[in-house]
């Protein structure tokens, strides 16, 4: 819908005054919260020594020492250590017979597992996420990402129908209560269901509050607003490292990370509705009030005649809708077909390598808290430096080279021996830097590649591609049972292909934005 009337009024209100800066400030808490929920599970499933419960032998040998019990009931592996996932099958013999003849038949751990005493409760120890249940850890991460994928669709449609403020309120309530609820779940499958809802609410909050900020902020200041939210996400990852280091009990950690979102209620009454959305719904008087409030906050005055003239036209003569493009136009026209296909691929592989590195923080060999701190810290220069790199090298080269570097780093990691954790972690941090910078590039490049009439549709489709990749990434880790290098080889080769394809895209730096789909 053409917003010439509202656009003129918004110009008078100001592009990035105190009113808009306050809006950007509102995004800080949600962005910090996203970082927590995205990666908190990594610190709740820390690996600990474990073995099968073999307390059955206590019935015939109540005075056995722990070492004697384990020696009689657990088989040893090739390295001489006790096996963690098998035990000798229980028998109805007396203790002397067991000692004399020994046990041969083995079975899986049917009576559960035993963990070191004095360990703070973790997801792994409470829900036995070991041996044949180990895969549930990666599956639950995938289900959280699926929640984000569903949330982006559901809340996107809902915010267009009922408004930005109600969707933000619903999402905050869902995230707060289900986030706290996770700390009290009795079963791991309930935990996964709650995480799915939290994932959906995370999408609802971030997507809607950023859309609201975008609709109030002038075009020249929007990149700064997006950059601010990305940097808050990076700071959130760093705070998670400190929080999880200080709180080792997973339930208390979940409460500590979920409760702060309720602080949003303290300033919710100050959150404005989008003036543009109000106009599209014919709520002219409400739009006038919110625009006047914004102007007052920015110490500006909207001339009464401009306000009346702009909205009088909207009342008397409903604004004709611009012929907007459909999703089919993205694939119907040849030039857009190429751009769309390559950008969908670029977003997918970018998300794949980003989460492939971020969710693998526990496997690089160094202290996970320091690694997480470095992973968060490196995103800030990556996001900020991206702005300068785009000006110096243009969009196409930047996008292609960053994806290629992200992939190559992962491929190099696959050939580094396991006993070289420092080299592996340093490479992973470099990969995180390039993947983060590539993500910021994608936001700007995609917005310039798609014509105005179909820009939001194109960006929405790319975002869904990235979300889908987020669902797939944790499942790829399941392939390490066949060879430890397979997941990282996939995370490396995919962005290399995506980076090469980006060289086929047109350069948009310094060119005017396309408004319609054109011929092709």
């Amino acid at each position: 819908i053409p917003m010439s009337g509202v656009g003129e009024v918004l110009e008078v209100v100001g592009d990035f005054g105190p009113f808009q800066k306050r809006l950007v400030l509102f995004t800080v808490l949600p962005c910090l919260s996203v970082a927590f929920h995205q990666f908190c599970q990594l610190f709740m499933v820390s690996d600990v020594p474990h073995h099968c419960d073999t307390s059955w032998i206590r019935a015939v040998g109540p005075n056995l020492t722990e070492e004697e019990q384990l020696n009689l009931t657990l088989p040893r592996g090739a390295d001489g250590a006790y096996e963690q996932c098998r035990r000798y099958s229980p028998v109805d013999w007396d203790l002397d017979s067991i000692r004399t003849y020994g046990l041969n038949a083995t079975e899986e751990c049917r009576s559960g597992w035993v963990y070191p005493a004095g360990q703070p409760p973790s997801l792994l120890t409470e829900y036995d996420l070991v041996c044949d249940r180990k895969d549930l850890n990666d599956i639950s991460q995938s289900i959280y990402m699926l929640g984000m994928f569903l949330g982006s669709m559901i809340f996107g449609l809902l915010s267009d129908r009922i408004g930005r403020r109600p969707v933000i309120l619903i999402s905050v309530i869902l995230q707060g209560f289900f986030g706290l609820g996770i700390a009290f779940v009795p079963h791991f499958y309930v935990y996964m269901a709650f995480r799915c809802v939290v994932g959906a609410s995370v999408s609802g909050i971030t997507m809607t509050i950023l859309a609201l900020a975008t609709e109030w902020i002038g075009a020249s200041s929007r990149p700064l607003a997006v950059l601010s939210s990305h940097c808050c996400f990076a700071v959130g990852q760093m705070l998670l490292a400190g929080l999880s280091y200080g709180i080792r009990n997973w339930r208390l950690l979940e409460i500590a990370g979920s409760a702060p979102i309720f602080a949003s209620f303290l300033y919710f009454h100050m959150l404005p509705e989008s003036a543009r959305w109000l106009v599209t719904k014919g709520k002219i008087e409400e739009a006038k009030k919110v625009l006047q409030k914004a102007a007052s906050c920015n110490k500006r005055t909207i001339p009464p005649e401009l306000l009346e003239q702009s909205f009088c036209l909207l009342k008397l003569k409903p604004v004709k809708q611009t012929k907007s493009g459909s999703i089919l136009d993205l694939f119907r026209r040849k030039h857009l077909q190429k751009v769309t296909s390559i950008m969908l691929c670029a977003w997918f592989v970018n998300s794949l390598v980003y989460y492939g590195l971020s969710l693998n923080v526990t496997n690089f060999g160094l202290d996970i808290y320091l690694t997480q701190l470095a992973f968060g810290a490196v995103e800030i220069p990556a996001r900020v430096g991206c702005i300068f790199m785009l000006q110096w090298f243009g969009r196409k080269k930047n996008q292609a080279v960053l994806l290629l570097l992200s992939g190559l780093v992962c491929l190099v990691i696959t050939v580094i021996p396991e006993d070289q954790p420092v080299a592996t972690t340093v490479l992973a941090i470099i990969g995180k830097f390039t993947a983060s910078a590539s993500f910021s590039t994608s936001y700007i490049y995609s917005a310039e590649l798609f014509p105005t009439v179909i820009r939001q549709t194109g960006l929405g489709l790319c975002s869904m591609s990235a979300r889908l990749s987020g669902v797939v990434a944790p499942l790829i880790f399941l392939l390490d049972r066949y060879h430890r290098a397979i997941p990282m080889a996939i995370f490396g080769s995919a962005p290399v292909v995506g980076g090469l394809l980006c060289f086929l895209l047109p350069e948009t730096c310094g060119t005017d934005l396309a408004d319609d789909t054109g011929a092709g």
Side-chain angles (χ1 to χ4, degrees):
I1 295 173
M3 290 288 164
S4 53
V6 184
E8 287 173 23
V9 178
L10 282 170
E11 281 180 26
V12 176
V13 168
D15 272 2
F16 200 56
F19 181 81
Q20 286 90 346
K21 287 172 184 172
R22 193 172 67 185
L23 254 181
V24 172
L25 202 61
F26 288 161
T27 67
V28 170
L29 192 57
C31 286
L32 295 177
S33 183
V34 173
F36 173 82
H37 288 295
Q38 208 97 313
F39 303 118
C40 65
Q41 187 175 305
L42 298 172
F43 301 92
M44 298 176 179
V45 196
S46 49
D47 197 24
V48 293
H50 55 272
H51 59 76
C52 296
D53 184 347
T54 58
S55 54
W56 63 269
I57 202 172
R58 289 288 177 183
V60 293
N63 298 321
L64 285 172
T65 64
E66 185 181 356
E67 185 57 35
E68 286 176 325
Q69 177 185 334
L70 297 182
N71 199 40
L72 290 171
T73 56
L74 293 179
R76 292 181 184 267
D79 58 355
Y82 293 118
E83 286 197 18
Q84 295 185 316
C85 299
R86 297 194 70 79
R87 67 175 186 177
Y88 288 122
S89 303
V91 292
D92 293 328
W93 301 352
D94 58 45
L95 187 59
D96 287 335
S97 299
I98 293 173
R99 277 178 167 155
T100 305
Y101 300 108
L103 302 175
N104 290 315
T106 62
E107 64 180 18
E108 293 179 350
C109 303
R110 293 185 180 178
S111 308
W113 288 263
V114 176
Y115 306 96
Q119 287 276 344
S122 71
L123 273 176
L124 183 141
T125 56
E126 279 204 29
Y127 298 121
D128 292 329
L129 303 183
V130 293
C131 301
D132 58 329
R133 290 173 57 82
K134 187 179 180 181
D135 292 350
L136 287 174
N137 177 31
D138 290 322
I139 291 168
S140 68
Q141 285 281 26
S142 188
I143 286 173
Y144 169 80
M145 296 293 186
L146 178 64
M148 289 189 73
F149 176 73
L150 296 173
S152 65
M153 291 194 291
I154 296 165
F155 289 114
L157 294 169
L158 206 56
S159 70
D160 285 337
R161 181 161 294 189
I162 66 173
R164 307 331 185 200
R165 287 182 86 245
V167 165
I168 292 169
L169 180 62
I170 292 166
S171 300
V172 166
I173 291 170
L174 283 175
Q175 185 178 318
F177 283 106
F178 277 87
L180 287 178
I182 286 171
F184 303 98
V185 293
H187 200 279
F188 192 69
Y189 292 106
V190 181
Y191 167 87
M192 288 198 286
F194 275 39
R195 282 274 290 169
C196 187
V197 175
V198 168
S201 69
V202 159
S203 270
I205 294 172
T206 52
M207 187 174 61
T208 313
I209 205 165
L210 281 172
L212 182 62
T214 300
E215 286 164 346
W216 277 105
I217 295 168
S220 60
S221 301
R222 281 174 199 161
L224 181 63
V226 172
L227 180 68
S228 301
S229 67
H230 285 174
C231 287
C232 284
F233 180 70
V235 171
Q237 292 183 60
M238 296 165 70
L239 290 175
L240 169 62
L243 197 64
S244 54
Y245 180 80
I247 306 173
R248 301 298 175 96
N249 182 316
W250 79 270
R251 293 183 187 273
L252 294 179
L253 178 61
E254 187 67 46
I255 292 170
S258 300
I261 196 67
F262 286 110
S264 304
F265 290 121
L266 298 175
Y267 59 73
F268 185 77
H269 67 283
M270 295 190 290
L271 201 65
E273 185 51 271
S274 165
R276 290 175 181 271
W277 180 83
L278 288 169
V279 170
T280 63
K281 294 298 177 183
K283 300 181 179 183
I284 306 298
E285 291 307 313
E286 288 180 49
K288 276 187 189 178
K289 284 179 187 174
V290 76
L291 283 164
Q292 285 170 329
K293 186 179 176 182
S296 172
C297 184
N298 286 348
K299 295 182 172 54
R300 299 279 187 93
T301 305
I302 304 173
E305 61 274 13
L306 174 63
L307 201 60
E308 287 306 316
Q309 183 187 358
S310 299
F311 286 102
C312 198
L313 285 170
L314 288 167
K315 277 182 179 177
L316 297 172
K317 183 185 174 187
V319 182
K320 276 188 178 181
Q321 291 199 2
T322 306
K323 187 178 183 298
S324 57
S326 72
I327 198 166
L328 292 175
D329 283 328
L330 290 171
F331 298 98
R332 189 182 290 133
R333 304 186 183 280
K334 285 182 183 176
H335 66 292
L336 278 178
Q337 191 180 69
K338 183 176 82 169
V339 164
T340 306
S341 302
I342 293 174
M343 287 316 293
L344 284 176
C345 176
W347 280 66
F348 185 90
V349 298
N350 203 158
S351 178
L352 196 71
V353 70
Y354 180 86
Y355 287 115
L357 290 167
S358 300
L359 298 177
N360 204 27
V361 69
T362 55
N363 297 322
F364 290 127
L366 287 187
D367 182 82
I368 60 170
Y369 303 102
L370 285 175
T371 307
Q372 178 62 34
L373 185 68
F375 268 26
V378 79
E379 283 203 25
I380 296 173
R383 307 285 191 183
V384 175
C386 174
I387 302 298
F388 300 104
M389 288 192 289
L390 286 171
Q391 296 303 322
W392 295 337
F393 305 114
R395 277 55 162 162
K396 179 168 76 171
K397 286 179 185 174
N398 217 50
Q399 183 77 80
V401 171
L402 286 170
L403 278 176
L404 281 170
L405 287 174
S406 302
L408 290 171
V409 162
C410 291
L411 291 175
V412 172
I413 288 174
T414 61
V415 298
I416 293 179
E418 285 185 82
D419 59 354
Q420 299 289 329
V422 175
T424 305
T425 306
V426 168
L427 281 169
I429 291 168
I430 294 169
K432 187 79 184 293
F433 178 94
T434 53
S436 302
S438 179
F439 245 140
S440 290
T441 303
S442 297
Y443 277 95
I444 297 164
Y445 195 18
S446 301
E448 293 175 347
L449 281 168
F450 292 115
T452 302
V453 292
I454 206 168
R455 185 166 294 129
Q456 284 306 115
T457 306
L459 287 171
L461 202 59
C462 287
S463 180
M464 283 176 66
S465 175
R467 297 275 190 229
L468 193 61
S469 178
V471 176
V472 173
L475 300 179
I476 291 174
F477 288 119
L478 300 179
L479 299 173
D480 69 352
R481 69 178 67 180
Y482 304 108
H483 194 284
R484 74 173 188 90
I486 292 176
M488 205 52 72
I490 294 172
F491 295 135
S493 53
V496 167
V497 173
L500 291 172
L501 287 174
C502 286
F503 282 113
L504 301 175
L505 291 170
E507 179 55 72
T508 59
C509 186
T511 62
D512 291 331
L513 296 180
D515 285 323
D516 54 49
T517 55

